[in-house]
């Protein structure tokens, strides 16, 4: 079936892809800072926040997206993808500037101002997610998707990874709050670059229409392969989404490493993302989607188990962060590719929102449960495993590994594992 991308001249499609890449290069710092680096964690710690509040802040993105992704899909169809992107970027810029302003507020409120900024940024994320995929659907041919997602994420992680690594070298063991403020404020301003480059991509003129969100939702629900895939990625996100931020928190407040060491190790994690995104397209071609997804699932079991079992050292923790981010990068690319492949014609916006909602359910639930376990006192702060003392953080890593192991029961929901469905219902 002919698509809009098929009617674009090759030079035009190339220019639009470059604009799409550039939009992620400007927006990547905000996304990566909250999800994969120690900057916000160090900022919270400098303002006196505890482990529970810090971990809770990492669960906000999933919690907000859980409630907003599907309704926002209706907004995209009502006002258009590009206008929704502009709204997202302006909100994200303001949210980071608000976080940077936290020390100027009264002392007892400063950490909650940062939390409010995190919340506002997370409100901008569903707007971006719901509009980004429809834009890509217009400018990418099916054969270009794997390479695009792989190079896009490779390029923006190598950019952000280099910057955050240099920041780790520069900031020292106890960075001044003013330095962290400046980094956060500059990150917010970069979001305006994302808005500029998206405005340069030409897509069909949007015609406002009464979007029947119930009908679109019904199409996605009845799409059995899509629904099964959504359940699977939700379960796997529940198991693994908290592992990376929990590891950074473990380094800072469990192993008591300096801020510079924690930030440099988080940059090693970004290096894992870089390699994962760079190699993703090659791995799909070499191993196929089925084998790659099974390997990713295996990594989600082994990595937190290793964090539980192994005696920590700087080098070993760097290896674990690298491996965790490498696996999570491949997981993200696979999810993006499969959503585009599984969406019914005309239902891409809702199919994306539907799948991403399940992923956010898993992400938010996993991180909020970890936040509760860290602050509630339900788990012992330490216990003996044979002759080895196990910390609270290591106990939670064991739970994450067990949850990923249990999620193997859902592996037959993967379209790549069961490519031909014979749906049958006889009430």
């Amino acid at each position: 079936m002919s698509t809009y991308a098929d009617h674009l001249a090759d030079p035009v499609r190339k220019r639009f892809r470059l604009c799409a890449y550039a939009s992620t290069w400007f927006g990547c710092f905000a996304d990566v800072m909250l999800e994969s680096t120690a900057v916000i964690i160090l900022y919270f710690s400098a303002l006196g926040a505890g482990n529970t509040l810090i971990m809770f802040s990492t669960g906000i993105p999933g919690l907000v997206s859980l409630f907003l992704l599907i309704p926002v899909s209706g907004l995209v169809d009502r006002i258009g993808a590009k206008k929704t992107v502009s709204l997202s970027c302006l909100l994200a810029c303001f949210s980071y500037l608000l976080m940077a302003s936290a020390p100027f507020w009264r002392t007892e409120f400063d950490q909650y101002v940062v939390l409010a900024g995190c919340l506002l940024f997370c409100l901008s994320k569903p707007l971006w997610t719901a509009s980004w995929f429809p834009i890509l659907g217009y400018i990418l041919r099916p054969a270009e998707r794997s390479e695009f997602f792989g190079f896009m994420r490779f390029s923006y992680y190598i950019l952000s990874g280099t910057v955050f690594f240099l920041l780790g070298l520069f900031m020292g063991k106890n960075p001044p709050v003013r330095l962290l403020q400046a980094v956060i404020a500059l990150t917010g301003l970069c979001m305006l670059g994302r808005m500029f480059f998206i405005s340069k991509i030409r897509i069909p003129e949007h015609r406002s229409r009464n979007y029947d969100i119930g009908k679109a939702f019904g199409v996605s629900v009845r799409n059995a392969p899509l629904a099964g895939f959504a359940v699977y990625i939700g379960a796997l996100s529940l198991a693994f989404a908290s592992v990376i931020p929990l590891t950074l928190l473990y380094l800072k407040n469990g192993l008591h490493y300096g801020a510079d060491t924690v930030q440099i190790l988080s940059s090693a994690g970004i290096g894992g993302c870089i390699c994962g995104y760079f190699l993703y397209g090659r791995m799909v071609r070499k191993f196929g989607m089925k084998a790659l997804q099974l390997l990713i699932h295996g990594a989600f079991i082994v990595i937190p188990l290793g964090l539980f079992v192994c005696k920590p050292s700087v080098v070993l923790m760097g290896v674990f962060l690298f491996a965790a981010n490498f696996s999570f990068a491949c997981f993200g690319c696979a999810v993006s590719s499969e959503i585009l492949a599984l969406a019914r014609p005309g239902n891409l916006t809702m199919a994306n929102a539907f799948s991403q909602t399940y992923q956010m359910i898993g992400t938010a639930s996993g991180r909020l449960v970890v936040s509760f376990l860290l602050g509630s006192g339900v788990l012992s702060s330490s216990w003996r495993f044979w002759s080895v003392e196990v910390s609270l953080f290591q106990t939670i890593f064991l739970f994450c590994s067990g949850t990923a192991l249990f999620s193997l029961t859902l592996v037959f929901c993967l379209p790549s594992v069961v490519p031909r469905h014979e749906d049958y219902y006889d009430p």
Side-chain angles (χ1 to χ4, degrees), residues 85-149:
V85 166
S86 297
L87 180 61
S88 168
C89 293
L90 291 172
L91 184 57
C93 177
F94 175 76
S95 69
Y96 266 81
L97 294 177
L98 178 63
M99 282 191 270
S101 74
F104 301 132
W105 295 68
R106 293 176 60 180
T107 303
E108 61 268 30
F109 295 142
D110 52 9
Q111 56 191 269
Y112 297 104
V113 172
V114 180
L115 189 66
C118 290
L119 175 61
L120 286 176
F121 177 72
C122 296
L123 290 174
S124 75
K125 288 286 286 181
L127 296 170
W128 166 252
T129 303
S131 50
W132 172 238
F133 278 87
I135 291 173
L136 294 183
Y138 283 121
I139 65 174
L140 293 178
R141 291 172 175 169
E144 298 169 339
R145 292 168 184 166
S146 293
E147 290 290 347
F148 176 86
F149 286 119

Side-chain angles (χ1 to χ4, degrees), residues 40-58 108 110-112 114-115 245-246 249-250 252-254 370-376 392-393:
I40 299 298
I41 290 175
L42 295 173
Y43 191 50
F44 264 121
S45 297
L47 297 177
N51 291 339
T52 300
L53 183 63
I54 295 172
M55 196 66 207
F56 176 75
S57 70
T58 69
E108 61 268 30
D110 52 9
Q111 56 191 269
Y112 297 104
V114 180
L115 189 66
L246 181 63
L249 197 58
Y250 178 42
K252 175 62 179 173
N253 295 339
V370 169
S371 176
F372 170 77
L373 293 176
L374 286 172
S376 66
L392 171 61
F393 292 97

